[in-house]
Amino acid sequence: MGFLAFLLIGLIAGAIAKAILPGKGPGGWLAALVIGIIGALLGGWLGGLIFGVDLGGFFSIETWLLAIGGSLIVLVIYGAITGRRRA
């Protein structure tokens, strides 16, 4: 998977994760991109470690689920570190 495809997945996964978690999340589209990229990396690493699945092609459902799941984890950790309340 190319670098631009990875950035696109990160942006979309970060935006989906921010839409799933209620409340005011951090920043705008740039924050969603960073959270999505970090989440995709985390999701790919955890997917390979726990399930034996890694980030495959752009149109792979496993890739999208791992990226979105990782982004959700990153958002929860970010909220816990910064002490932001979700309401």
Side-chain angles (χ1 to χ4, degrees), residues 61-72:
I61 190 69
E62 291 91 8
T63 298
W64 287 94
L65 292 176
L66 289 173
I68 293 168
S71 297
L72 287 169

Side-chain angles (χ1 to χ4, degrees), residues 20-61:
I20 291 173
L21 287 178
K24 184 176 173 113
W29 67 271
L30 185 61
L33 175 65
V34 171
I35 287 170
I37 291 171
I38 294 170
L41 289 171
L42 179 66
W45 178 72
L46 286 176
L49 187 67
I50 297 172
F51 304 115
V53 178
D54 61 348
L55 295 176
F58 184 80
F59 295 105
S60 172
I61 190 69

